[in-house]
Amino acid sequence: MKFNITYFDDHLDNIECYQELFEDDFLITGHTNSADYEEALKLTRPHGILLDLHMPTLDGLELYGKIIVSDHYNGCPIFFISGDASNDSRLKMIQTGGVDVFSRTINCSELKVRLSNKIKLFLQGHTVIDVDNLTLDTSLFTLSVNQVPVDLTLIEMRILSIVIRQIPKS
């Protein structure tokens, strides 16, 4: 299974580089406009989110704050990446709540392992509930009826998850 990562970076060449380097392990969906985060989260339902620290519209720290309160955020790990190696910047990214912080100079193999390990931890609580023709994935917040995806907000997903768990098992 390839992990789905939504990557926000104002430089398309950075996005394309990571897409090529990690094509065997990750499906990286890149976005150069951080203001489009709501639509990006709604469409991709990521296993992880990678944020560039320095972007013009919303920097990574501001974007993090908006993502975690979004109706389309599924609680997946959020990572920061930056060429800014200053201690102050690294500390801000960690204090903001980033699961991990990566330097642009990180070894590709190490980056791949660290991303994979943190995403696997997130998915350990992965629960899929099947009721007749309905399938609810409580970790990825996806719902399908007759294998057709249904688009619900995060709050609707949470309510449905609670209701479905109350159905007696036969």
Side-chain angles (χ1 to χ4, degrees):
M1 170 183 161
K2 282 188 182 183
F3 294 128
N4 182 11
I5 296 179
T6 299
Y7 178 24
F8 292 92
D9 194 317
D10 56 316
H11 294 286
L12 184 59
D13 53 334
N14 288 339
I15 294 169
E16 290 171 346
C17 177
Y18 287 116
Q19 286 172 329
E20 187 176 317
L21 285 171
F22 300 132
E23 67 186 346
D24 292 338
D25 301 286
F26 302 106
L27 174 62
I28 298 176
T29 306
H31 301 275
T32 55
N33 184 354
S34 56
D36 293 338
Y37 70 93
E38 285 281 356
E39 189 66 19
L41 294 177
K42 182 178 177 181
L43 294 175
T44 60
R45 308 265 180 169
H47 298 110
I49 300 171
L50 185 60
L51 304 177
D52 178 27
L53 178 61
H54 298 294
M55 295 184 285
T57 307
L58 292 171
D59 71 26
L61 301 174
E62 294 168 318
L63 183 54
Y64 176 93
K66 292 192 176 290
I67 287 172
I68 62 170
V69 298
S70 167
D71 285 343
H72 301 290
Y73 175 56
N74 64 3
C76 69
I78 300 176
F79 309 93
F80 286 98
I81 190 161
S82 180
D84 183 348
S86 72
N87 285 336
D88 286 344
S89 292
R90 291 184 62 78
L91 188 58
K92 283 180 188 173
M93 290 183 276
I94 293 168
Q95 286 175 330
T96 298
V99 170
D100 209 341
V101 175
F102 308 116
S103 165
R104 291 256 184 233
T105 60
I106 189 170
N107 173 286
C108 289
S109 297
E110 181 183 344
L111 177 60
K112 186 187 305 185
V113 168
R114 287 169 62 180
L115 286 170
S116 293
N117 286 346
K118 303 267 171 40
I119 290 171
K120 286 176 186 174
L121 281 173
F122 165 67
L123 292 175
Q124 278 182 346
H126 187 81
T127 302
V128 176
I129 301 169
D130 287 308
V131 178
D132 293 327
N133 61 348
L134 183 138
T135 303
L136 176 69
D137 186 320
T138 61
S139 292
L140 300 178
F141 295 100
T142 58
L143 171 70
S144 60
V145 177
N146 294 323
Q147 299 180 346
V148 176
V150 177
D151 188 30
L152 297 176
T153 67
L154 185 59
I155 292 179
E156 291 168 333
M157 285 285 189
R158 287 181 177 156
I159 292 169
L160 183 59
S161 174
I162 292 167
V163 170
I164 287 177
R165 288 173 197 258
Q166 301 305 313
I167 296 173
K169 294 181 175 48
S170 31

